[in-house]
Every structure is written in structure tokens, then in C-alpha cells.
Amino acid sequence: MAVTDTLLDWAAHHTPDRIAAVGVMAVRARRYLSEGAAPALESIPNLRVRVRGHAERPFWHASTGLYGFLGLPPGEVRIEIEDPAGRWQAQAISALVPDRSALRLALEKGSALPAVPAPAYPEAALRPAPAIALAPGLSAIWGVVREAGRAVAGALLECDTVRNGLADRVTGTSGADGSYLLVLPGEALDRSHSPPHTRFARDLTVRAPRPALAAALAREGFIAALPANVFALSMAARDALFTPQDFQLRDAAGVVHPPVGGHNPQATIAAGERVRLDIELSP
């Protein structure tokens, strides 16, 4: 039995602090809400969490909501997160694994425990995918991003919205099949008018993968080629991978909403409803 297996068996039958004691990295995945709000408190279970280039599969500890790794070598790693049930969009993040090998050796020998760095605790804020069941009353727009009839994977999307009466923004990506879902939790009836306003026009921004990234997504697969920390890229890094796109919107009835006066059409949000708007990129 490998040392990692021995430690995992030992840790799995004890309290969560034992996982932290022997682990080198623990990943927490939570639900993204908006740019102006912290992710939801609850961790997301039943995900497929992998570190590229390493065979170890993490141990899920329900009481902490962490996916714990025990045997990763120190250094920077790429973490790929997928949901087999299709409720959440796949995402990749990076993290720096500390060197805690001296602690493992001390535990094996039964000697005094040395001072070592704490485990890494990277977090991922996962965006919901179109297959997710939304709670009643939530506002959302969804659809497929296409260019010349072809689905566009990995497009970056931003939708201006409001939260508690203040300006906010929601970000996301289109999935491997071009589908997207932007949940807008702050949209609600505007009761300052009579009758209350129920529909709102919001600015939508679309950035398509540049040719090199689009080719990698098609060749290597979505999660393998998706840039790590894609929502936290610097402006220069983002612009090297994505390009802003003009577009038209097509609603569920097939009605096309084209650009007007050189400006992309706004997305019409219905408070408490899930509205389909396909995004058709201009050539």
C-alpha cells in the first residue's frame, strides 16, 4: 500500500482536522452569485476534481466541504473541476502546493512535528449550467452562443445587473456545446412604479476565444484547454485570449434583435423568469 493510501485511510476515519494535518491542498467549490456578492456559503458536493498530470483523486469530507489531496508534490498545479451531473459549468483554477514532506516523514517516524507551511486552500466559484434547476423567483437568461450557425465554446459573457438597488455584474462562459446560463439573483420587481416594472434592459458583453484558443478547445477538449482562473485574468491576458464581439440576439420566438446605432442589443430580463436569448456573433 502506498504511503498516500495509508495516510488517507488514517485521516478518513478521524476528525476533519486530521485531513488538514496530513493534506497538502484542499479545494472548496461554491456557487457563484455575482461580482458584487461573495459566493454562497455551502460547498458543492459530487464534483469531479482533478489535478492535471497527477493520478490522485481527492477525498471529499462532507463536514468541511473540502476536496482534500494528500500526495501532491510541491509546486504550481492546475485544478480542473467538472460536474458529472451537468449542473455546473466546468472551470479550471491554479494553486501553489506547499512542501509539507517534512511533516509526513515525522508522522511516519513518530518524531516531533516540524513547522511546515499550511495546506493550500484554493476556492472555485462555479457558475450554473443550463441543466441546473433554478429556485422559483430567480431571474436568468440562457441560450446558445453561435457564429455562422456553429456553436462557440468558451465565450466570456458579462451582463450588467443590479443588487439591492446598486449596479452589479454577472459573468460566465459558454460551455463545450455553446450553451450558457446567466443567473441574475438581484433582479426583482421594481415597485417604485405603478404598476411595478417587471422587465428590464441590461447591457450584455461577449468576448469570443481568439483562433488559437478556439482551436485548442476543439482539439484538446473544453476543460483541458479552458484557461485557468479565466474570470480573474488581467486585462492584457484576457485580451490575448479573447476578442470583443458584435452580436445580435434571437429570442425564443425566433425574433431577431439586431444592433442599433452601432451598439449591441440589450438583453431583456424578466423579473422571476428564465428567458431564452441565443447570441449570434457577427462575422
Side-chain angles (χ1 to χ4, degrees):
M1 180 179 291
V3 171
T4 298
D5 294 332
T6 304
L7 289 171
L8 179 58
D9 182 70
W10 175 79
H13 292 88
H14 294 75
T15 54
D17 63 294
R18 295 293 181 93
I19 298 288
V22 300
V24 294
M25 183 178 74
V27 180
R28 186 188 305 278
R30 299 189 291 167
R31 179 176 186 149
Y32 170 83
L33 296 177
S34 74
E35 295 301 288
L41 293 177
E42 300 82 7
S43 296
I44 302 173
N46 304 319
L47 299 173
R48 184 183 298 122
V49 181
R50 292 175 288 193
V51 171
R52 177 180 287 183
H54 299 277
E56 182 182 355
R57 296 295 178 259
F59 179 84
W60 163 257
H61 205 290
S63 67
T64 61
L66 296 172
Y67 294 85
F69 290 84
L70 299 172
L72 297 175
E76 187 170 356
V77 295
R78 173 186 169 94
I79 306 159
E80 297 175 346
I81 305 170
E82 297 176 282
D83 178 19
R87 302 161 302 166
W88 307 97
Q89 290 280 25
Q91 193 174 141
I93 60 174
S94 62
L96 186 63
V97 176
D99 186 352
R100 308 189 80 221
S101 56
L103 175 60
R104 186 178 69 184
L105 292 174
L107 288 170
E108 293 171 3
K109 295 178 180 179
S111 55
L113 301 183
V116 295
Y121 291 99
E123 295 203 0
L126 299 189
R127 275 69 174 170
I132 198 168
L134 294 181
L138 275 180
S139 305
I141 57 174
W142 71 284
V144 178
V145 182
R146 295 189 179 93
E147 183 176 24
R150 175 185 57 84
V152 177
L156 281 181
L157 309 173
E158 298 178 357
C159 185
D160 289 345
T161 182
V162 296
R163 183 174 65 91
N164 298 328
L166 300 176
D168 199 0
R169 179 169 293 169
V170 168
T171 63
T173 63
S174 57
D177 60 356
S179 65
Y180 78 93
L181 170 68
L182 296 176
V183 179
L184 309 166
E187 298 287 354
L189 294 178
D190 184 354
R191 301 185 185 278
S192 64
H193 301 270
S194 182
H197 288 183
T198 61
R199 303 181 74 82
F200 313 96
R202 304 300 187 201
D203 288 338
L204 185 64
T205 302
V206 181
R207 293 181 174 86
R210 291 188 181 274
L213 176 56
L217 289 164
R219 181 180 63 251
E220 301 171 19
F222 184 77
I223 187 62
L226 188 69
N229 312 311
V230 69
F231 300 108
L233 294 173
S234 68
M235 187 178 298
R238 184 197 65 193
D239 291 346
L241 295 169
F242 300 90
T243 181
Q245 288 284 306
D246 292 332
F247 58 87
Q248 64 182 19
L249 297 174
R250 186 181 298 271
D251 64 27
V255 177
V256 171
H257 303 265
V260 177
H263 298 283
N264 288 320
Q266 292 182 306
T268 299
I269 310 302
E273 296 182 17
R274 184 168 171 160
V275 176
R276 177 161 189 169
L277 291 172
D278 289 344
I279 301 171
E280 300 176 350
L281 304 183
S282 302

